[in-house]
Amino acid sequence: VEATASLLQVKDEFDFDVELIHAENRLLPRNNPKMGEKAEKALGEAKVRKDVRAEDVSEGEVVLSNGERIDSDLMVWSAGVKNCELVLDLDVPCEEKGVPVTDEMNIEGLEDIYAVGDLCTYQGKENRAYYALSEAKTAAKNIKSSIRDGKKVENSFFWDPQVIYLG
């Protein structure tokens, strides 16, 4: 989504069309649905295709999972949010949105193993940079604390900016 917004800023200067192919049925699926709606509206000049994947890419053409073919001179692939597959090889609980963690950011049931960012989930979590930064700071403090005095701190948010860069 963010890459599409950036491309829209220069599309008129270089005379090209912008299309976003999105595998989910709404943009920004791990965020509040209203944010996805606002993001799609902000991408007004881009053609947004939801619930479809790029199945094959060759010189000059993209083939979608619904069989549709799109002529293209330039393709930009931008990764979405996906949990690290390494977690699947570990003996840790894993839910659809990630590994459940405690307020101290350690994986539930595992005192000295922490998860932050897109990898973890907890009640009220939104996958945005602001949350990841707070989670990382909390985990770092608790790792340091476990070496020193064992006094852990809980992850906390003072405000939630709900800002997404759209060009």
Side-chain angles (χ1 to χ4, degrees):
V1 172
E2 294 89 337
T4 303
S6 293
L7 286 169
L8 285 172
Q9 287 186 322
V10 296
K11 80 174 222 48
D12 292 333
E13 182 180 345
F14 295 100
D15 190 33
F16 60 86
D17 295 322
V18 178
E19 293 191 35
L20 172 62
I21 300 167
H22 192 70
E24 302 288 335
N25 63 358
R26 66 181 177 92
L27 299 184
L28 308 173
R30 295 187 65 165
N31 291 291
N32 183 305
K34 288 184 180 181
M35 289 180 69
E37 292 168 13
K38 288 181 180 181
E40 186 168 355
K41 187 175 181 181
L43 298 176
E45 290 189 54
K47 181 170 185 176
V48 178
R49 299 169 186 261
K50 297 178 286 194
D51 245 348
V52 67
R53 292 177 171 13
E55 289 288 321
D56 188 44
V57 176
S58 60
E59 189 171 333
E61 183 178 68
V62 177
V63 180
L64 302 180
S65 56
N66 63 6
E68 188 176 354
R69 296 175 178 275
I70 302 171
D71 291 332
S72 178
D73 295 321
L74 174 68
M75 291 154 262
V76 178
W77 177 77
S78 180
V81 177
K82 183 177 180 183
N83 289 329
C84 174
E85 292 189 14
L86 168 67
V87 120
L88 301 174
D89 296 333
L90 302 175
D91 187 21
V92 298
C94 194
E95 298 175 0
E96 181 183 342
K97 290 188 174 184
V99 175
V101 295
T102 67
D103 292 337
E104 293 84 19
M105 301 313 302
N106 57 286
I107 295 175
E108 288 182 0
L110 300 170
E111 193 65 26
D112 295 322
I113 300 178
Y114 297 83
V116 300
D118 294 342
L119 182 64
C120 75
T121 188
Y122 51 86
Q123 183 69 34
K125 161 109 182 208
E126 297 282 348
N127 271 7
R128 294 196 299 272
Y130 175 76
Y131 283 75
L133 289 171
S134 177
E135 294 160 5
K137 287 177 185 177
T138 301
K141 287 177 186 175
N142 287 335
I143 291 167
K144 184 178 175 181
S145 174
S146 69
I147 295 168
R148 292 193 171 161
D149 59 16
K151 296 178 184 173
K152 291 187 173 184
V153 297
E154 292 185 357
N155 190 32
S156 62
F157 302 98
F158 298 105
W159 62 288
D160 182 1
Q162 297 205 16
V163 174
I164 295 175
Y165 174 73
L166 291 175

